[in-house]
């Protein structure tokens, strides 16, 4: 819709111009002003596309108004009309940046032609602005993603002209959202539109892969946890999807974002242990009481033992020790019961003690005179167990490498965590976790990167269309493929192909 301002000290003239504009059929909203001064004041508070003004007016002439517009609103289209055939006024109008000059009495056909031409120039200007904003937003997302995932800050002057570091520095909170079954490939555009409509605040959306997205919040959040809960509820109600959300602590500057993301990625591993929980806060005090319960920590440790999880076992054991070493919180008998339970779980997992020794060891635990002695006995057995499973750690490296090899050989097929984990007889969450620990890469991100690399290779073949390349590389949604490619390589697949073929 075009926003038009008609300026004339004669009301009947304004009415006539309004009718001509309305008869043009172009969508518009029309405002009026009785003189140049009134118009100038209106322009300070309103964004106008087309100015239609008479020359001769009290307080400020149309030429004076046009001159002010050319200095302060250079993209505005100005149509000037006058009752005098004054060559000097016409020349002055040109110097003031006036695009069209019409003599009174206004000829309807001539005005319609001039007005439609002005509308077309506004349309072209708006389209150019839209493309510029789109390119700027894409480049900003491209460099921000590289920075957050890899700490690669844009340094060259050419790059800095494309990004908005001052906007980066306003980011205070991050939320990592994970949703299975390629949600962010299939519903990305709808998700972004809905996010803006639902929450109406300054949120930067970064697509990490088909199943993960990062939301960056500029400014303060009264309650990050409440915002996460609202987001989780909205996704569940609108898309009928269950998601996991990890919420960061407050970031003081954009330089803290890479470290904050790494902490969120690690925090998301909690969903592997707590399958019924959907929101995980970096700051426990932000969790509003929704924190790990006493029994949950023991459950995590027992799961580590049974999974032979060398990555979390020591940390979770230390947390159990820290929790139960204070006898003012727990009775001595209860603490002995807890640690004898750990001993039994270690025994059941095998490889750490001789057969038949479990009863004698439990008796030793209950015969201890101090909690320090109880912890010491348990820690000794835990260390022996960790040494035992560490000798088997190579199998985890093998599983990660086997997963990589499968992805490289089957990137064009349907690949999911469930499929990959099923091949190795692991749970999807555990495979995702060991892959990240062994390779340093996010599994979903690795799948996306392999597909993009293979698509870039295939683009060198001029016999394949861009859509065919995307499908062969394993992308279902061609719009998503194009966006991912541009985020990764800085250009569209088509532009990338043209650059290759030029060489």
């Amino acid at each position: 819709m075009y926003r038009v301002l008609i300026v004339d000290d004669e009301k009947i003239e304004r009415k006539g111009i309004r009718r001509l504009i309305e008869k043009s059929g172009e969508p518009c909203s029309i405002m009026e002003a009785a003189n140049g001064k009134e118009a100038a004041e209106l322009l300070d508070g309103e964004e106008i596309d087309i100015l239609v003004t008479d020359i001769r007016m009290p307080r400020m002439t149309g030429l004076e108004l046009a001159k002010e517009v050319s200095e302060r609103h250079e993209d505005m289209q100005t149509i000037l009309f006058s009752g005098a055939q004054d060559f000097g006024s016409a020349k002055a109008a040109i110097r003031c940046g006036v695009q069209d000059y019409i003599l009174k009495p206004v000829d309807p056909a001539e005005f319609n032609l001039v007005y439609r031409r002005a509308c077309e120039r506004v349309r072209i200007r708006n389209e150019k602005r839209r493309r510029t904003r789109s390119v700027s937003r894409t480049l900003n997302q491209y460099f921000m993603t590289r920075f957050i995932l890899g700490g690669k800050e844009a340094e060259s002057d050419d790059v800095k002209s494309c990004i908005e570091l001052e906007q980066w520095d306003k980011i205070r909170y991050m939320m990592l959202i994970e949703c299975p079954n390629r949600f962010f490939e299939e519903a990305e555009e709808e998700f972004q539109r809905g996010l803006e409509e639902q929450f109406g605040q300054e949120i930067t959306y970064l697509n990490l892969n088909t199943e993960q997205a990062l939301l960056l919040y500029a400014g303060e959040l009264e309650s990050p946890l409440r915002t996460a809960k609202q987001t989780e509820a909205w996704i569940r109600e609108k898309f009928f999807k269950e998601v996991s959300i990890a919420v960061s602590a407050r970031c003081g500057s954009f330089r803290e974002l890479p470290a904050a993301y790494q902490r969120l990625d690690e925090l998301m591993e909690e969903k592997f242990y707590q399958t019924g929980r959907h929101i995980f806060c970096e700051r426990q005090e932000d969790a509003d009481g929704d924190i790990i319960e006493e029994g949950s920590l023991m459950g995590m440790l027992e799961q580590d033992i049974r999974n032979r999880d060398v990555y979390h076992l020591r940390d979770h054991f230390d947390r159990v020790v820290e929790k139960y070493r204070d006898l003012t919180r727990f009775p001595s008998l209860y603490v002995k019961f807890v640690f004898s339970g750990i001993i039994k779980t270690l025994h059941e997992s095998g490889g750490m003690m001789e057969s038949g020794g479990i009863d004698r060891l439990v008796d030793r635990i209950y015969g201890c005179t101090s909690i320090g002695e109880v912890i010491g006995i348990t820690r000794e057995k835990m260390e022996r167990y960790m040494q035992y499973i560490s000798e088997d750690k190579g199998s985890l490296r093998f599983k990660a490498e086997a997963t990589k090899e499968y992805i490289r050989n089957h990137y064009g097929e349907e690949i999911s965590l469930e499929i990959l984990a099923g091949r190795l007889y692991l749970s999807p969450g555990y495979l995702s976790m060991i892959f990240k620990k062994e390779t340093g890469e996010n599994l979903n991100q690795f799948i996306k990167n392999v597909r993009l690399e293979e698509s870039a290779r295939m683009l060198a073949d001029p016999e394949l269309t861009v859509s065919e390349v995307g499908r062969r590389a394993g992308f279902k949604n061609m719009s998503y493929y194009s966006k991912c490619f541009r985020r990764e390589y800085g250009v569209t697949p088509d532009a990338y192909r043209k650059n290759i073929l030029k060489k």
Side-chain angles (χ1 to χ4, degrees):
M1 178 173 288
Y2 304 111
R3 291 152 297 190
V4 183
L5 176 60
I6 303 171
V7 190
D8 197 309
D9 58 329
E10 295 289 339
K11 185 174 182 179
I12 192 169
E13 294 286 350
R14 297 198 303 272
K15 188 175 181 181
I17 295 297
R18 174 184 279 271
R19 285 178 177 171
L20 291 175
I21 290 173
E22 291 171 342
K23 285 179 65 177
S24 73
E26 297 285 353
C28 65
S29 61
I30 302 173
M31 301 181 68
E32 297 181 17
N35 56 65
K37 198 74 174 176
E38 183 181 325
E41 292 172 357
L42 262 173
L43 291 172
D44 283 338
E46 299 288 341
E47 189 173 344
I48 301 297
D49 296 312
I50 302 172
L51 173 68
V52 184
T53 179
D54 190 13
I55 286 183
R56 299 182 183 276
M57 293 183 296
R59 302 189 67 185
M60 177 185 280
T61 69
L63 284 174
E64 290 170 332
L65 177 61
K67 184 174 185 299
E68 185 169 320
V69 164
S70 69
E71 294 171 351
R72 298 172 56 189
H73 310 277
E74 58 182 24
D75 285 340
M76 193 182 303
Q77 299 295 308
T78 302
I79 301 173
L80 203 64
F81 55 91
S82 173
Q85 297 191 25
D86 183 349
F87 182 65
S89 294
K91 286 201 303 183
I94 292 172
R95 286 195 299 270
C96 291
V98 172
Q99 287 79 19
D100 293 286
Y101 187 92
I102 302 176
L103 290 174
K104 288 184 178 181
V106 175
D107 177 66
E110 181 186 5
F111 180 85
N112 186 60
L113 181 65
V114 167
Y115 178 70
R116 284 181 176 275
R117 196 161 59 217
C119 289
E120 178 64 13
R121 286 196 291 263
V122 172
R123 188 193 66 76
I124 293 172
R125 180 205 69 187
N126 290 345
E127 179 62 22
K128 184 178 179 181
R129 283 180 178 176
R130 187 194 66 77
R131 287 198 302 267
T132 300
R133 283 196 300 268
S134 177
V135 170
S136 177
R137 183 169 57 250
T138 299
L139 287 173
N140 197 54
Q141 290 175 334
Y142 168 71
F143 288 112
M144 181 175 280
T145 302
R146 281 169 57 88
F147 174 63
I148 291 175
L149 297 187
K152 298 176 182 177
E153 184 180 348
E155 294 179 354
S156 74
D157 291 337
D158 289 341
V159 169
K160 286 183 178 179
S161 67
C162 302
I163 63 178
E164 304 169 357
L165 280 179
E166 67 279 2
Q167 295 301 316
W168 290 19
D169 215 32
K170 294 178 181 178
I171 296 168
R172 292 292 172 265
Y173 294 93
M174 304 169 67
M175 290 187 192
L176 178 61
I177 302 180
E178 189 168 296
C179 185
N181 302 320
R182 303 176 77 144
F183 173 75
F184 291 108
E185 177 178 7
E186 297 177 358
E188 180 181 46
E189 292 184 3
E190 186 180 359
F191 176 80
Q192 283 187 270
R193 285 196 304 270
L195 191 70
E196 186 175 333
E197 293 169 2
Q198 179 71 19
F199 297 99
Q201 61 190 95
E202 196 172 345
I203 305 174
T204 299
Y205 165 89
L206 298 181
N207 180 285
L208 302 183
N209 50 67
T210 59
E211 300 190 354
Q212 286 184 319
L214 196 61
L215 303 186
L216 313 178
Y217 292 79
E220 303 298 335
L221 291 178
E222 183 179 342
S223 171
L225 174 66
R226 184 164 63 246
T227 301
K229 286 182 176 179
Q230 291 170 347
T231 303
E232 188 264 337
W234 169 68
I235 294 173
R236 188 175 60 251
E237 292 170 7
K238 182 174 178 62
F239 300 99
F240 306 101
K241 299 286 185 180
E242 284 197 355
V243 298
S244 299
I245 301 178
V247 186
S248 77
R250 186 181 184 279
C251 297
S253 77
F254 79 90
R255 298 189 184 281
E256 298 177 19
L257 299 180
Y261 167 72
Q262 290 300 321
R263 293 194 299 272
L264 288 184
D265 198 32
E266 293 170 3
L267 186 62
M268 192 64 85
E269 292 175 9
E270 294 288 346
K271 74 180 189 302
F272 172 60
Y273 297 98
Q274 303 178 70
T275 54
R277 193 169 171 216
H278 299 286
I279 298 175
F280 307 90
C281 296
E282 185 179 353
R283 284 167 51 91
Q284 293 294 353
E285 54 265 43
D286 291 337
D288 192 28
D290 185 23
I291 60 175
I292 299 174
E293 298 176 355
E294 296 289 334
S296 297
L297 185 54
M298 282 300 303
M300 291 162 68
L301 180 61
E302 290 173 1
Q303 192 168 338
D304 293 339
I305 295 171
R306 294 192 174 98
N307 286 331
R308 301 189 175 189
D309 184 353
V310 296
Y311 309 108
H312 296 102
L313 192 53
R314 188 183 302 277
D315 175 59
H316 289 156
F317 178 71
D318 288 343
R319 286 165 64 180
V320 169
V321 168
E322 187 63 30
K323 181 181 290 291
Y324 291 105
R325 70 165 64 249
D326 185 359
L327 283 181
T328 62
R329 294 179 61 196
F330 303 99
S332 173
L333 188 62
Y334 177 72
V335 175
K336 291 175 180 179
F337 170 79
V338 168
F339 282 90
S340 64
I342 296 174
I343 291 289
K344 288 178 181 179
T345 305
L346 289 171
H347 176 71
E348 290 166 2
S349 298
M352 52 73 64
M353 65 177 66
E354 65 284 359
S355 176
I358 183 64
D359 292 335
R360 289 194 300 272
L361 194 54
V362 170
D363 287 343
R364 279 186 63 195
I365 292 287
Y366 277 96
C368 290
T369 58
S370 71
I371 295 303
E373 191 178 353
V374 171
I375 292 172
I377 293 172
T378 312
R379 187 181 294 281
E380 177 192 350
K381 302 308 175 185
M382 182 64 71
E383 292 293 340
R384 286 181 58 186
Y385 182 75
M386 284 191 284
Q387 182 179 358
Y388 165 72
I389 62 175
S390 293
E391 295 170 0
D392 190 44
K393 188 175 183 292
S395 67
L396 298 180
R397 168 63 63 176
F398 170 79
K399 288 179 174 62
E401 291 301 325
T403 300
K404 277 189 172 184
E405 188 66 19
Y406 183 86
I407 291 167
R408 291 193 181 103
N409 291 330
H410 300 270
Y411 59 85
E413 303 171 13
E414 177 62 34
I415 298 177
S416 67
L417 280 176
E418 287 73 19
I419 291 172
L420 294 171
R423 293 181 64 255
L424 299 171
Y425 305 101
L426 299 173
S427 71
Y430 189 58
L431 174 61
S432 180
M433 185 269 292
I434 67 171
F435 188 90
K436 176 67 183 293
K437 298 295 184 182
E438 288 294 331
T439 68
E441 298 180 81
N442 177 284
L443 180 50
N444 284 312
Q445 190 76 17
F446 180 80
I447 295 171
K448 187 184 82 168
N449 289 343
V450 168
R451 285 173 165 161
L452 288 174
E453 289 167 8
E454 292 298 328
S455 77
R457 180 185 59 79
M458 286 188 281
L459 285 170
D461 183 354
E463 298 299 318
L464 298 176
T465 66
V466 170
S467 295
E468 190 173 0
V469 166
R471 283 192 294 272
R472 287 191 180 190
F475 291 92
K476 293 182 178 180
N477 185 316
M478 291 306 104
S479 173
Y480 179 78
Y481 163 60
S482 182
K483 287 179 181 178
C484 284
F485 194 95
R486 187 167 54 180
R487 289 166 186 153
E488 182 65 24
Y489 292 96
V491 294
T492 64
D494 191 54
Y496 183 87
R497 161 175 277 171
K498 289 177 181 176
N499 291 335
I500 291 175
L501 299 179
K502 282 179 184 178
K503 297 177 181 178

